[in-house]
Amino acid sequence: MSIDAVAPTDNSAATALTEAEIFDAHKGGKLSITSTVPLSNKRDLSIAYTPGVAEVSRAIHAKPELARTLTWAERLVVVVSDGTAVLGLGNIGASASLPVMEGKSALFKTFGDLDSIPLVLNTTDVDEIVETLVRLRPSFGAVNLEDIAAPRCFELEEKLIEALDCPVMHDDQHGTAVVALAALTNAAKVTGRELDSLRVVVSGAGAAGIAVAEILLAAGITDVVLLDSRGIINSSRADLAADTTSKKADIALRSNPRNVEGGPAEALAGADVFIGVSSSKLDEEHLALMNQDSIVFALSNPDPEVLPEVAVKYAAVVATGRSDFPNQINNVLAFPGIFRGALDAGARRITPAMKLAAARAIADLAAEDLSADYIVPSPLDPRVAPAVTAAVAAAVEAE
């Protein structure tokens, strides 16, 4: 699931979009490459290209580490997709995913001041994607995996982390999780709860759902119950017992400490928090089973699991993935600063500590003006990326 559409500056911008302006904006793509050095005379050409560039190439050949400062490679993020889980469109293929990846690269530049290019691949074979990126490694400094279907996304991310000596992150998993934790941190404050006391239900056990569960557990929340299409995930479920190597089987061993069984009704009875990261709808009768002053994050986009006007009948704090409702849980709050911080600090991995630091930084920015309708800063808040960058870089230094 991806929820990183940037909020417009006002709600009218969201409703006034026309097909003509959308397609006009995409003609020729949304990216271009510009030179950072002047090329207006022969001397400029001699410095930027031949013969001057040969001196730089000789220097890098003698000391390969100089490529970090004498090329753009170590500041370049590649946005990689196979087009199998694009926005709400599903498996639409590499070419159709390219406009989305171009948009992601534009977000990297706008919010993180990082150069970025999209790489869409005509293969869904994990090993082929890994091999491709290993061969291209001299050309980039970090990998943002995007819109790759579960469960292959888990295997791909793990294999790339092992194969590459640079930051790798599947944003649909971890960007969503970081911002959800930041929002939940502040929602707990608004409702007078301690974070580690919360009973949380996560609806959806794909890429985003498992990542959300993982970061909540890492943050000290022990009572996390996940739901998938078959009901509550627990270690005694027959299908998970039969496949002990799956991500679901692993998370089943580390979540649901009360060993709750059943479906949404049983999961939500006495719950403090609902976090939806699936297309499943949440029945109003199930909302009524939650504790008083509950917290509802209905993050499916564009159609939330439950509409805010229904959720507010029961919940004290409501968030969605959309820009036209309060409390937008938006990945762009996280990923530019996470990658920028990792690259600034020379990190070779994006670790759980770095993600927790990013979540704290995002939460802190909203703390002064905290309210039920303001638990995370706006995606357009210029303070966000620098704060996340600094927090992630500090976490790297502390590890």
Side-chain angles (χ1 to χ4, degrees):
M1 188 187 90
S2 182
I3 51 173
D4 50 24
V6 175
T9 54
D10 58 70
N11 288 341
S12 63
T15 57
L17 294 176
T18 66
E19 185 174 289
E21 69 178 317
I22 291 171
F23 280 87
D24 284 347
H26 285 76
K27 284 181 180 176
K30 299 187 292 295
L31 301 173
S32 67
I33 292 177
T34 59
S35 176
T36 63
V37 297
L39 295 172
S40 57
N41 55 52
K42 287 185 177 181
R43 186 173 185 82
D44 291 343
L45 290 172
S46 295
I47 292 172
Y49 199 54
T50 185
V53 72
E55 295 299 320
V56 180
S57 292
R58 289 191 189 100
I60 295 173
H61 177 67
K63 294 183 177 181
E65 65 271 18
L66 289 176
R68 182 176 177 83
T69 55
L70 296 177
T71 74
W72 79 335
E74 290 300 306
R75 306 291 297 167
L76 180 70
V77 180
V78 286
V79 178
V80 177
S81 184
D82 62 3
T84 54
V86 181
L87 297 176
L89 305 175
N91 186 358
I92 60 174
S95 293
S97 76
L98 187 54
V100 180
M101 305 313 135
E102 286 183 2
K104 193 80 171 196
S105 289
L107 296 179
F108 267 111
K109 187 63 176 179
T110 300
F111 294 101
D113 196 25
L114 287 172
D115 289 310
S116 175
I117 59 171
L119 289 177
V120 294
L121 304 177
N122 267 328
T123 178
T124 59
D125 184 279
V126 167
D127 290 331
E128 287 183 358
I129 295 173
V130 172
E131 181 182 3
T132 299
L133 293 174
V134 167
R135 291 180 184 276
L136 290 172
R137 172 63 182 93
S139 298
F140 58 78
V143 177
N144 179 99
L145 297 173
E146 191 78 14
D147 292 349
I148 296 169
R152 287 185 308 104
C153 62
F154 302 121
E155 180 187 4
L156 177 58
E157 185 182 48
E158 289 173 358
K159 286 189 172 182
L160 282 173
I161 288 171
E162 290 303 312
L164 298 175
D165 60 340
C166 69
V168 175
M169 188 175 85
H170 185 207
D171 184 51
D172 300 325
Q173 294 180 59
H174 306 295
T176 302
V178 165
V179 184
L181 175 59
L184 187 57
T185 299
N186 284 339
K189 293 178 181 177
V190 168
T191 59
R193 294 177 169 97
E194 295 296 325
L195 192 66
D196 59 7
S197 73
L198 295 174
R199 285 187 174 183
V200 182
V201 175
V202 179
S203 177
I210 288 179
V212 168
E214 293 279 12
I215 203 168
L216 296 184
L217 292 169
I221 301 173
T222 57
D223 198 330
V224 179
V225 174
L226 285 89
L227 285 162
D228 66 5
S229 59
R230 298 188 181 189
I232 294 172
I233 288 178
N234 59 59
S235 56
S236 60
R237 225 172 69 175
D239 61 309
L240 300 180
D243 183 12
T244 58
T245 62
S246 72
K247 282 287 184 180
K248 287 185 184 181
D250 176 64
I251 201 70
L253 296 173
R254 296 181 291 112
S255 64
N256 194 1
R258 292 177 289 118
N259 199 33
V260 182
E261 297 182 352
E266 290 75 17
L268 287 166
D272 300 304
V273 181
F274 170 84
I275 301 177
V277 282
S278 76
S279 58
S280 298
K281 299 304 176 187
L282 179 60
D283 292 340
E284 186 171 348
E285 64 189 58
H286 294 156
L287 268 176
L289 299 172
M290 298 178 69
N291 286 334
Q292 189 174 2
D293 292 332
S294 62
I295 299 164
V296 172
F297 293 175
L299 304 184
S300 288
N301 215 1
D303 299 316
E305 288 82 358
V306 58
L307 289 173
E309 55 261 37
V310 176
V312 294
K313 297 179 186 179
Y314 308 92
V317 180
V318 177
T320 71
R322 285 172 45 160
S323 62
D324 52 346
F325 297 121
N327 297 326
Q328 185 189 19
I329 309 301
N330 192 316
N331 290 20
V332 79
L333 289 167
F335 71 82
I338 291 174
F339 276 96
R340 178 65 185 266
L343 290 172
D344 282 358
R348 288 293 177 258
R349 298 286 186 269
I350 293 174
T351 65
M354 294 157 70
K355 288 176 262 186
L356 289 172
R360 286 192 294 271
I362 295 166
D364 287 347
L365 288 174
E368 288 187 8
D369 300 313
L370 203 57
S371 72
D373 286 340
Y374 183 73
I375 56 173
V376 286
S378 164
L380 298 175
D381 188 329
R383 302 174 300 161
V384 174
V388 174
T389 296
V392 168
V396 175
E397 296 299 322
E399 286 186 320

